[in-house]
Amino acid sequence: MLHAPGTSLNMNPRLAAIAGRLKGAVFPITEAPVVIGRETAANLCIADPSVSRRHSQIEKAGGQFVIADLESLNGTFINDVPVKRRPLAHGDRVRIGDSQFLFLLHDGEASPASKSSEVQFDDRQLSGSTIQVKFNDAVYLMARDLSALMKVSTTVNAIRGLGELQKTLLELLFEVVPAERGAILLSHGNGLEDAAVFGLDRARGPDEAIKVSRTIAQKVLREKTSLLISDALMNQGFGSDSLNPSRPSSLMCVPLIMLERPLGVIYLDTNAADVHFDQDHLQLVSAIAAITAVAIENARHIEWLQSENERLLADVNIEHNMVGESPSMKQVYQFISKVAPTDSTVLISGESGTGKELAARAIHLNSQRAGLPFMAVNCAALAETLLESELFGHEKGAFTGATAMKKGRLEVADGGTVFLDEIGELSPVLQVKLLRVLQEREFERVGGTRTIKVNIRLVAATNKDLEQAIAAGTFRQDLFYRLNVVELAMPPLRQRPEDISLLANYFASKHGEKCNRKILGVSPEAQARLLSYEWPGNVRELENAIERAVVLGATDHILPEDLPEATLESGAAATTASAPRYHEAVTQTKKQIILSAMDQAKGSYTEAARLLGVHPNYLHRLIRNLNLREQVKQ
């Protein structure tokens, strides 16, 4: 959980076990990294065979806690999604083996005590008894009033929130300087034109407006020189109203400097006639400014990182059921986060099995229509007449068998989202009717005459090249333009190999539960085979392969022999040093048999297939998967 600038958190990072052998225990995260695993040397030891020896690790990066999977066999899950590396948010559920933990970051929000007074600039010149102190001249004075300086140093360096830090700093200054009001002005590189201001009144708190001389503040910031003006009531710039009690009798302004770069100024004043700031006050405040500038800059930097993190998370913090952390999938999540809040029609393209329907559901779940129906229709699964009735509905007696009126999917989904899968298979007649729905949001039921208006969002998907279909005359160009308002291309699995292990572990866990089997993970040898295969059927084929392995496997890990034969035939399979030689020997034997048959058939695929007793198409696939094309040509 990220918090707005100016808040302070009672940070107490910890893991609370809610399931598994450690249920009920709480493990504080006092120092990072924290290694979680089965070995006794782990910071958080879980004596569970489903947990790897070094399973995962919690690190601290950029003010956040990040969990990283250490190549465990059965994966690390955050909110039931497998991850390789993911920032942890307050309330995240972490699953490691059979154990589950809640990540808790803080105990509560800070009180709104860091509210700032309104700061107003006064552009009139001030004169009077003036003392200036160069920044470098103040450093040697830090030894004096050591107790006050130590208190300031230890206090401000323990605060992370910028608003709370500024409020505390002004309160500490009020303890050593008889000022009635104070303000901190932080520049962003353009003088005081875009300065962030924080003000505080000693007696009235943040509810009293603070007036600041713009001229003095700009002079101090520009020259990096502390400035003290006593007897300001005698300033001729106040004119005849100089004795007005709202005017300061003394003021000082001190620069905040880090590495020769001015960050802003501290501004203090009082309008009590019997109180005057002196050189000792100025020197002490200059010394305090010297030791607090770093803390202020760090707090500003942390707030910038948090705001940037919030902006980035806003792009990817969407509700979805997709698994993947590759760059291409992150682009998909960012696209969905941007297009979901709108009502624009979306066309999702991609090969079969890439998750087009999951993307469509994610668009719906993150839209303003999320609580209303999501209707999915596969345009390739039904004949034209049945599909027309399914989409638009029909009146009683519209055709044989229409014994009652039936609402179509478009009408049922009123207010929600309609997903048309395989839109490229739509017949020309239905393309015309769908075009009218997109243009007018109205239609008639089959056999009806009454116009029905609907408020729907349309998301379509295709694995065809619709522009080629337009050129071939099988798809209407005007319908394509209506559908292709915003296009999302789903990446094939071969372009996101870093997601294969995550998906395999996710499907192993999913189907292990369905089959009531204890699956601890995918063995390294099996993972190597999965990574070497091109997956023409994409994620759907991978899920089927893992489900098959879960059903047919005999151990608590998925082994290479549990996988479909196609994955084992790939000649590019990367084998580890510890992998058994069985599969290598089988692959070499297959190659020899195929090359011998092709030699006897004198290069004829049909004759070689007959000799081997297999279908020619299967022989082509074997030669391709075993990388034998070049040898066959010879």
Side-chain angles (χ1 to χ4, degrees):
M1 178 181 285
L2 298 175
H3 298 268
T7 62
S8 178
L9 300 179
N10 182 14
M11 301 291 290
N12 183 19
R14 60 205 184 278
L15 287 174
I18 58 174
R21 302 190 179 195
L22 302 175
K23 183 177 179 180
V26 177
F27 303 91
I29 303 176
T30 54
E31 294 183 3
V34 174
V35 176
I36 304 171
R38 195 174 71 248
E39 66 179 11
T40 55
N43 303 96
L44 200 170
C45 179
I46 306 175
D48 184 342
S50 64
V51 177
S52 300
R53 295 182 71 254
R54 290 174 59 85
H55 195 104
S56 55
Q57 176 173 287
I58 296 179
E59 309 163 359
K60 198 168 185 182
Q64 286 186 305
F65 288 94
V66 177
I67 191 165
D69 186 77
L70 301 178
E71 301 297 331
S72 64
L73 287 179
N74 61 339
T76 300
F77 292 75
I78 304 297
N79 303 321
D80 292 326
V81 175
V83 299
K84 285 188 176 180
R85 183 177 178 86
R86 176 77 61 84
L88 286 169
H90 181 73
D92 274 348
R93 181 163 45 85
V94 181
R95 175 155 62 88
I96 296 174
D98 289 335
S99 298
Q100 293 193 51
F101 305 87
L102 279 181
F103 176 73
L104 304 174
L105 185 59
H106 57 83
D107 292 328
E109 303 286 345
S111 65
S114 56
K115 179 182 175 184
S116 168
S117 294
E118 179 187 358
V119 176
Q120 301 173 350
F121 285 104
D122 188 334
D123 291 324
R124 284 174 291 189
Q125 296 280 350
L126 295 178
S127 62
S129 302
T130 302
I131 298 175
Q132 295 183 338
V133 176
K134 286 288 185 181
F135 171 76
N136 292 335
D137 296 336
V139 176
Y140 81 95
L141 299 168
M142 293 174 65
R144 199 174 71 182
D145 297 304
L146 184 59
S147 176
L149 294 175
M150 287 296 293
K151 180 178 179 180
V152 171
S153 179
T154 55
T155 302
V156 299
N157 284 302
I159 300 173
R160 292 183 61 185
L162 182 59
E164 184 68 17
L165 174 59
Q166 294 177 105
K167 173 181 175 293
T168 302
L169 177 56
L170 289 175
E171 289 175 342
L172 292 170
L173 287 170
F174 289 159
E175 293 181 12
V176 296
V177 177
E180 291 183 295
R181 291 166 298 277
I184 297 176
L185 291 75
L186 299 178
S187 170
H188 291 283
N190 297 315
L192 295 176
E193 297 304 319
D194 59 348
V197 295
F198 188 98
L200 192 66
D201 185 283
R202 179 195 290 266
R204 299 181 178 86
D207 297 325
E208 186 74 9
I210 307 295
K211 290 189 176 181
V212 171
S213 169
R214 187 193 304 271
T215 305
I216 291 177
Q218 287 179 333
K219 174 181 175 65
V220 169
L221 184 67
R222 182 177 61 254
E223 298 180 2
K224 297 186 284 187
T225 301
S226 299
L227 185 63
L228 167 64
I229 300 179
S230 298
D231 304 320
L233 286 173
M234 304 305 294
N235 183 347
Q236 295 179 0
F238 288 128
S240 59
D241 195 30
S242 63
L243 296 180
N244 187 317
S246 66
R247 304 300 184 186
S249 60
S250 290
L251 68 83
M252 73 171 70
C253 190
V254 176
L256 290 160
I257 298 177
M258 190 183 79
L259 301 176
E260 301 298 326
R261 180 169 60 90
L263 307 179
V265 300
I266 298 175
Y267 190 97
L268 300 170
D269 71 17
T270 179
N271 59 10
D274 57 340
V275 175
H276 301 282
F277 301 156
D278 57 27
Q279 187 169 358
D280 288 345
H281 293 139
L282 183 64
Q283 291 171 344
L284 179 58
V285 175
S286 298
I288 290 174
I291 64 176
T292 57
V294 174
I296 290 176
E297 179 66 0
N298 287 341
R300 292 176 73 185
H301 186 61
I302 289 173
E303 287 201 347
W304 178 85
L305 290 174
Q306 288 178 336
S307 63
E308 183 69 6
N309 194 33
E310 285 178 337
R311 184 188 67 79
L312 294 173
L313 285 176
D315 288 344
V316 298
N317 191 20
I318 59 172
E319 184 178 354
H320 63 85
N321 294 318
M322 292 176 282
V323 176
E325 296 183 3
S326 60
S328 57
M329 286 305 295
K330 288 179 179 177
Q331 290 179 2
V332 170
Y333 302 149
Q334 290 174 354
F335 176 92
I336 292 173
S337 72
K338 292 176 181 177
V339 76
T342 72
D343 271 339
S344 299
T345 301
V346 180
L347 178 62
I348 305 175
S349 61
E351 300 175 6
S352 294
T354 51
K356 296 187 290 294
E357 183 170 347
L358 288 178
R361 289 184 182 275
I363 291 172
H364 174 71
L365 286 173
N366 294 276
S367 72
Q368 296 179 348
R369 302 174 182 263
L372 297 166
F374 175 88
M375 304 300 296
V377 181
N378 190 326
C379 299
L382 299 172
E384 179 182 338
T385 54
L386 291 177
L387 182 58
E388 183 180 16
S389 175
E390 191 70 19
L391 285 174
F392 304 103
H394 61 257
E395 298 289 350
K396 181 179 179 179
F399 51 83
T400 303
T403 57
M405 185 275 289
K406 175 188 174 184
K407 292 183 178 181
R409 296 289 184 95
L410 297 177
E411 190 174 352
V412 173
D414 188 26
T417 303
V418 175
F419 172 58
L420 299 181
D421 198 7
E422 305 302 344
I423 192 72
E425 303 297 331
L426 212 59
S427 68
V429 173
L430 292 184
Q431 288 181 35
V432 174
K433 297 192 71 172
L434 181 61
L435 181 61
R436 182 189 174 195
V437 173
L438 287 171
Q439 290 174 334
E440 308 295 339
R441 291 299 193 268
E442 63 182 30
F443 60 92
E444 289 88 32
R445 298 192 190 106
V446 177
T449 57
R450 182 170 65 90
T451 298
I452 299 171
K453 289 188 173 291
V454 289
N455 173 20
I456 58 172
R457 180 182 192 171
L458 189 69
V459 179
T462 181
N463 61 3
K464 285 187 172 182
D465 187 332
L466 293 184
E467 292 184 344
Q468 287 186 1
I470 292 171
T474 58
F475 200 83
R476 294 181 64 95
Q477 188 174 42
D478 49 1
L479 177 59
F480 173 73
Y481 291 142
R482 285 286 181 178
L483 292 172
N484 195 34
V485 177
V486 184
E487 182 180 5
L488 168 62
M490 294 298 293
L493 191 55
R494 62 181 174 275
Q495 292 181 6
R496 40 185 283 228
E498 52 269 72
D499 289 334
I500 291 177
S501 295
L502 288 176
L503 287 161
N505 280 308
Y506 173 74
F507 293 139
S509 175
K510 172 183 173 182
H511 292 291
E513 290 181 5
K514 283 186 178 180
C515 299
N516 198 26
R517 278 201 59 205
K518 182 71 174 179
I519 302 295
L520 300 183
V522 182
S523 71
E525 298 80 24
Q527 287 196 30
R529 297 289 179 174
L530 295 176
L531 290 169
S532 69
Y533 186 57
E534 289 193 353
W535 300 108
N538 294 294
V539 179
R540 185 181 294 122
E541 183 184 5
L542 174 60
E543 180 173 8
N544 291 340
I546 297 299
E547 183 178 4
R548 174 188 186 277
V550 170
V551 172
L552 300 180
T555 68
D556 55 6
H557 286 85
I558 292 177
L559 303 176
E561 51 263 35
D562 301 329
L563 298 173
E565 185 178 357
T567 63
L568 303 179
E569 289 167 356
S570 176
T575 57
T576 62
S578 60
R581 296 184 177 274
Y582 168 76
H583 298 292
E584 295 179 18
V586 169
T587 300
Q588 292 301 323
T589 302
K590 283 184 179 180
K591 289 182 177 181
Q592 292 175 6
I593 293 173
I594 292 171
L595 290 173
S596 176
M598 290 295 293
D599 185 56
Q600 292 181 44
K602 298 181 180 180
S604 170
Y605 278 83
T606 303
E607 178 62 20
R610 188 187 66 79
L611 292 173
L612 293 172
V614 299
H615 193 279
N617 289 343
Y618 182 63
L619 178 59
H620 276 280
R621 182 163 68 86
L622 284 173
I623 290 174
R624 182 179 67 251
N625 289 340
L626 294 171
N627 288 334
L628 293 176
R629 285 184 176 178
E630 295 299 323
Q631 298 181 54
V632 168
K633 289 180 181 178
Q634 296 174 2

